[in-house]
Amino acid sequence: MRKILISLGSLVLTFLLVCPNPIHSEELKEIKLLKPQMDGGRLLMQVLKDRHSSREFSTDELPLQVLSNLLWAAFGINRPDSGKRTAPSAVNWQNIDIYVAMTKGLYLYDAKSNILKPVLAEDIRAATGTQSFVKNVPVNLIYVADFSKIPRGTEEDKNFYSAAHTGFISQNVYLYCASEGLATVVRGLIDREAMSKVMKLRPDQKVMFAQSVGYPKK
Ligand SMILES: Cc1cc2nc3c(=O)[nH]c(=O)nc-3n(C[C@H](O)[C@H](O)[C@H](O)COP(=O)(O)O)c2cc1C
């Protein structure tokens, strides 16, 4: 009996060590995103003219098609043959993950499968920033750098590249929002330590920035 208990214990321990981001919520279901629509959007020069940050949001949810388009624009796969993305990354490291905090819970964008993987069945929107509006915005994107995907360099190098990678993704989101009449703001005012705890991140994952997205307040 003791032997069985010991092997069961080591089995659980192995699972916890091997599985880097265990799902803490069995009841939160995966969301199948829709095929991104590539035939929409306004003229690029008009979109650039309209790009801006805003901090006043409606609480209306984004339709699934809009959320799907938004995430694809942010960092989707635009060349399926190579798996390359809508934003560039040094050495094609692709080390930024987009977590999506919504009322239902926290999800991870899986660009390859075009799904949102469940991470936490909790509304963590309030923890995604120190500004009061963030708790009511329907979608808060959290850009998390995975340092394990950058095989060389100092901590400073990894931060430097990750910040640049996040900037490209964030600007894609800005442009999509300007094109679609959505409100958005990228945010550095976040308690990174608290957020990492809430999100149960690994030590080699680092919260870079967050970005709120919703319809403008009426
Ligand atoms: C790296 C970065 C961090 C930012 N952090 C915040 C933030 O924490 N909160 C906020 O309200 N705006 C934040 N902003 C938005 C800036 O305040 C905004 O871009 C700036 O005022 C210029 O306005 P515009 O984006 O409308 O051109 C940030 C912008 C950048 C690029």
Side-chain angles (χ1 to χ4, degrees):
M1 185 64 183
R2 201 160 155 254
K3 260 191 180 163
I4 294 173
L5 280 176
I6 290 171
S7 19
L8 258 175
S10 47
L11 209 77
V12 171
L13 195 67
T14 315
F15 173 78
L16 287 174
L17 288 173
V18 170
C19 187
N21 256 329
I23 294 164
H24 301 272
S25 51
E26 304 311 334
E27 67 272 30
L28 192 66
K29 292 218 173 70
E30 139 186 325
I31 297 178
K32 286 193 189 353
L33 295 167
L34 302 176
K35 205 169 162 220
Q37 296 166 312
M38 315 226 187
D39 52 357
R42 296 163 53 223
L43 289 174
L44 177 63
M45 296 305 266
Q46 296 286 314
V47 167
L48 285 167
K49 183 175 78 61
D50 290 343
R51 187 221 62 85
H52 68 283
S53 299
S54 55
R55 297 165 191 84
E56 296 203 342
F57 297 86
S58 149
T59 54
D60 292 352
E61 300 281 337
L62 300 189
L64 184 59
Q65 185 68 66
V66 173
L67 183 64
S68 307
N69 293 351
L70 170 79
L71 289 166
W72 182 82
F75 201 32
I77 294 174
N78 66 354
R79 285 152 293 168
D81 291 352
S82 61
K84 288 186 174 174
R85 319 281 285 261
T86 56
S89 63
V91 202
N92 193 25
W93 279 326
Q94 301 189 5
N95 76 309
I96 303 300
D97 287 314
I98 305 181
Y99 286 77
V100 185
M102 301 191 284
T103 43
K104 289 188 276 276
L106 179 69
Y107 298 85
L108 174 63
Y109 175 49
D110 179 338
K112 205 167 170 194
S113 310
N114 201 34
I115 57 169
L116 285 178
K117 286 182 171 171
V119 177
L120 274 177
E122 264 174 63
D123 181 357
I124 67 148
R125 291 175 301 159
T128 69
T130 56
Q131 291 164 286
S132 61
F133 65 83
V134 305
K135 62 179 183 299
N136 298 316
V137 182
V139 170
N140 282 298
L141 305 175
I142 306 147
Y143 303 124
V144 176
D146 184 346
F147 283 180
S148 74
K149 289 187 180 158
I150 302 184
R152 53 179 183 270
T154 62
E155 192 82 357
E156 193 188 342
D157 295 332
K158 293 181 186 190
N159 271 310
F160 184 78
Y161 281 106
S162 298
H165 297 163
T166 304
F168 291 109
I169 296 171
S170 167
Q171 178 71 351
N172 283 351
V173 169
Y174 265 109
L175 295 178
Y176 177 75
C177 289
S179 177
E180 293 301 310
L182 292 165
T184 191
V185 62
V186 68
R187 298 184 282 100
L189 288 175
I190 40 188
D191 181 341
R192 290 186 173 76
E193 214 179 296
M195 233 168 117
S196 306
K197 263 197 199 141
V198 169
M199 294 171 71
K200 300 184 169 65
L201 296 180
R202 305 186 315 262
D204 56 3
Q205 287 182 293
K206 182 171 176 183
V207 174
M208 304 302 296
F209 292 97
Q211 185 158 3
S212 301
V213 180
Y215 287 103
K217 197 170 187 168
K218 283 163 210 144

